[in-house]
Amino acid sequence: MVRIFLMALILLNIAALILETVREVSLVFEFWLKAFEWLSVGIFTVEYLARLWVGGPGRAQGLAGRFRYALTPLMLVDLLAILPVYLPLLLPTDLIFLRALRLMRLMRVLKLGRYSEAIQIFCRVVVQKKEQLVVACIAVLILLMIASSLMFYLESEAQPEAFSSIPQSMWWAIVTMTTVGYGDVYPVTGMGRLLASVIALLGIAMFAVPAGILSAGFVEHGDAGKTGDTVCPHCGKPLGPGRTD
């Protein structure tokens, strides 16, 4: 019940943050939005202090143990969820810094990872497949560099403004590889169009690779659950039946 309440409170906080940007809503409900903000911060602060006092999974006690627990990723997320409200009260801030702090309130959506089993499974799969995902991302970056370099040499004379340099050509490569294709920059030469066609097809294939890796990770995670394998909560790798170390 407490978990459901906190998840609902986090979602309501994100909704309130979005509504604050609507001028008509902000002017009419400014008091209630501020009151809800302070109420939520109070609840999140009590939750953070309670978790810090109780300790982590190993129930680390003592000042040193609680300090180490405070530096864990989930506890840092909890701290960043409440810090933007308290910092302006403790430190003198200018308008730009204050806006940045208000934007940091979006970090509260990361708190859902503590209470949602689906998000935890997704994180475990990403951690489990991190090497393959890194290789896939490197391959995409290599293809991006090759595409932007070739397009620069093929189109720079015909379109010196649109393809004035390799970094300038990267905009075209990115929107082409992601199949967005805004149409503001496009090749006009025959070789440039042929290269664009090849890059567009390769872009579809390259971005399908991470999806396939994650799909295989979810299948492996599901199979591990069916066979009773214990999954490490830290790295997401299966420990084998009956193991908890």
Side-chain angles (χ1 to χ4, degrees):
M1 185 62 68
V2 175
R3 173 176 295 189
I4 296 176
F5 169 76
L6 290 173
M7 290 181 64
L9 185 62
I10 294 169
L11 294 176
L12 289 175
N13 268 262
I14 300 304
L17 179 60
I18 295 173
L19 290 176
E20 277 187 11
T21 61
V22 182
R23 181 175 178 81
E24 294 79 5
V25 176
S26 179
L27 291 175
V28 176
F29 299 100
E30 181 179 5
F31 171 79
W32 295 108
L33 289 173
K34 292 293 183 182
F36 178 70
E37 168 71 10
W38 280 103
L39 175 63
S40 302
V41 169
I43 295 174
F44 291 145
T45 302
V46 172
E47 178 206 9
Y48 176 79
L49 294 176
R51 290 185 182 278
L52 190 62
W53 176 259
V54 173
R59 298 295 185 266
Q61 300 298 323
L63 184 60
R66 289 189 173 91
F67 180 76
R68 288 193 300 268
Y69 179 56
L71 296 179
T72 57
L74 287 177
M75 288 298 290
L76 289 177
V77 168
D78 291 344
L79 180 61
L80 291 176
I82 60 176
L83 204 58
V85 177
Y86 293 120
L87 277 182
L89 302 178
L90 303 175
L91 301 173
T93 57
D94 56 15
L95 184 58
I96 297 178
F97 184 65
L98 185 59
R99 288 178 178 176
L101 286 177
R102 294 181 66 183
L103 185 62
M104 283 180 60
R105 290 159 55 192
L106 285 171
M107 294 292 293
R108 291 175 190 171
V109 73
L110 299 180
K111 286 173 64 65
L112 288 174
R114 183 187 288 278
Y115 309 108
S116 174
E117 181 65 24
I119 296 178
Q120 292 177 12
I121 292 175
F122 177 79
C123 293
R124 292 179 195 141
V125 170
V126 171
V127 172
Q128 183 179 351
K129 297 294 182 180
K130 59 181 182 296
E131 291 86 1
Q132 296 92 324
L133 291 173
V134 169
V135 172
C137 291
I138 292 175
V140 171
L141 290 176
I142 293 174
L143 180 60
L144 174 64
M145 291 296 301
I146 294 175
S148 55
S149 301
L150 291 177
M151 189 57 68
F152 165 70
Y153 288 112
L154 291 175
E155 293 287 327
S156 57
E157 293 185 3
Q159 300 185 79
E161 295 182 358
F163 297 92
S164 60
S165 63
I166 292 179
Q168 186 77 16
S169 304
M170 284 186 181
W171 169 251
W172 168 86
I174 291 173
V175 298
T176 302
M177 288 177 57
T178 56
T179 67
V180 176
Y182 288 118
D184 54 342
V185 179
Y186 53 89
V188 295
T189 64
M191 290 299 297
R193 291 180 176 177
L194 178 61
L195 176 64
S197 302
V198 175
I199 295 300
L201 294 175
L202 289 177
I204 297 174
M206 291 303 299
F207 279 93
V209 172
I213 294 174
L214 291 176
S215 299
F218 281 112
V219 171
E220 293 176 4
H221 188 278
D223 292 341
K226 291 178 181 179
T227 56
D229 291 347
T230 304
V231 178
C232 176
H234 304 290
C235 65
K237 295 182 179 180
L239 299 175
R243 290 185 58 189
T244 58
D245 51 336

